[in-house]
Amino acid sequence: EIMKAALIHDASLFNLMEEHGPRLILSKFQAGDPIADQVVQKSIDAMLDCIGPDLWEESLLRPMDFGHTFSRTLEASEHFQLRHGEAVAIDCVMSTMIANVKNLVSHQDAQRVLDLYAALDLPCSIVGITADTYKLATKEITVHRDGILRAPLPKGIGSCTFVDSFTDEEIEQAFFKLEQFMHKHPNTYWDNSKSFNSGTVGPKSEEQTILHDIKTSPRTTVEMTPSAK
């Protein structure tokens, strides 16, 4: 949420995170650090600035929807096992790369974003994701938003604009740029072992298999074994 606020609302917050972010994370923003207090206050202020005037969300152009263009699809996928925060973080990075392709964010600023995410140990991508994943997510969120994308994107660092379309070519170019960075910084891939339900990933138990069959076999009757009752 700090990085969201920095990217689309407050460049000074981004600058603070560039200079102090890794240290603040190590200290967990504790120990009465005045910089930590400043970062938290700026983040709260940004949220209030963006959300306060529209508490009932009557406006469909909401800056704090940044990070929610692709994340809805990524978070819902059983394949990726992403928590909400990590899905939003990955979305923010890909959205920034699309903003770069659209000439809304300079190459230099796009690189600053990637470098800061790496320095803060935030995920930039996840193994197995493709440009087609982002194309699907774009289609799904467009349907969810009643046929208009309304995607918030950074305009430079610290400002927001909205766009109503991503072309497949733009998604492919942005994904290619991000993948180049990922190859050099593999540590910024999300680690599935950190997932809240990582213990369920892997071979299914007998009970899980039976319940899965029930859910995926409409209009059929499955006899429950004693061990599954």
Side-chain angles (χ1 to χ4, degrees):
E1 294 300 322
I2 290 172
M3 289 304 299
K4 273 181 57 173
L7 281 168
I8 53 92
H9 190 74
D10 190 345
S12 68
L13 178 56
F14 188 92
N15 294 337
L16 281 174
M17 291 303 292
E18 267 190 321
E19 185 174 356
H20 304 284
R23 173 179 64 78
L24 294 176
I25 288 176
L26 284 175
S27 69
K28 298 182 179 180
F29 290 80
Q30 300 297 315
D33 188 328
I35 299 297
D37 293 343
Q38 189 177 358
V39 166
V40 172
Q41 187 61 58
K42 281 180 173 288
S43 301
I44 294 171
D45 290 344
M47 190 69 71
L48 290 174
D49 287 346
C50 292
I51 294 178
D54 185 30
L55 290 176
W56 301 109
E57 295 191 336
E58 293 177 354
S59 172
L60 297 179
L61 300 178
R62 299 186 287 264
M64 284 302 166
D65 277 354
F66 181 57
H68 292 82
T69 299
F70 306 118
S71 60
R72 188 171 180 269
T73 297
L74 302 185
E75 189 179 354
S77 171
E78 292 185 3
H79 175 69
F80 297 126
Q81 301 291 322
L82 280 167
R83 300 180 297 194
H84 178 69
E86 284 74 23
V88 170
I90 291 171
D91 184 317
C92 288
V93 171
M94 183 61 178
S95 294
T96 299
M97 300 312 294
I98 288 178
N100 172 239
V101 170
K102 286 180 171 289
N103 295 317
L104 297 170
V105 172
S106 69
H107 297 310
Q108 180 181 1
D109 281 346
Q111 190 62 51
R112 288 176 67 198
V113 172
L114 293 173
D115 290 343
L116 182 52
Y117 263 67
L120 299 178
D121 199 27
L122 289 172
C124 294
S125 189
I126 186 167
V127 173
I129 201 167
T130 67
D132 286 340
T133 309
Y134 287 109
K135 293 175 188 177
L136 173 63
T138 301
K139 292 176 182 177
E140 290 185 345
I141 198 62
T142 300
V143 171
H144 179 71
R145 292 174 177 167
D146 201 23
I148 303 176
L149 182 58
R150 300 188 187 93
L153 293 178
K155 187 176 182 181
I157 290 177
S159 185
C160 180
T161 190
F162 296 86
V163 301
D164 286 336
S165 67
F166 301 154
T167 67
D168 286 353
E169 184 179 2
E170 287 172 337
I171 292 173
E172 289 165 3
Q173 289 179 18
F175 184 76
F176 177 76
K177 288 172 180 277
L178 180 55
E179 283 291 282
Q180 287 183 310
F181 177 82
M182 300 306 299
H183 286 313
K184 295 178 182 177
H185 302 273
N187 59 301
T188 56
Y189 279 106
W190 169 245
D191 180 359
N192 263 346
S193 68
K194 297 178 183 177
S195 172
F196 69 95
N197 60 344
S198 60
T200 66
V201 178
K204 290 184 175 69
S205 66
E206 179 184 358
E207 290 85 355
Q208 288 174 315
T209 301
I210 292 172
L211 291 173
H212 176 268
D213 289 342
I214 293 172
K215 292 178 181 178
T216 56
S217 301
R219 301 183 183 277
T220 61
T221 301
V222 178
E223 175 122 5
M224 297 290 282
T225 66
S227 63
K229 289 182 180 178

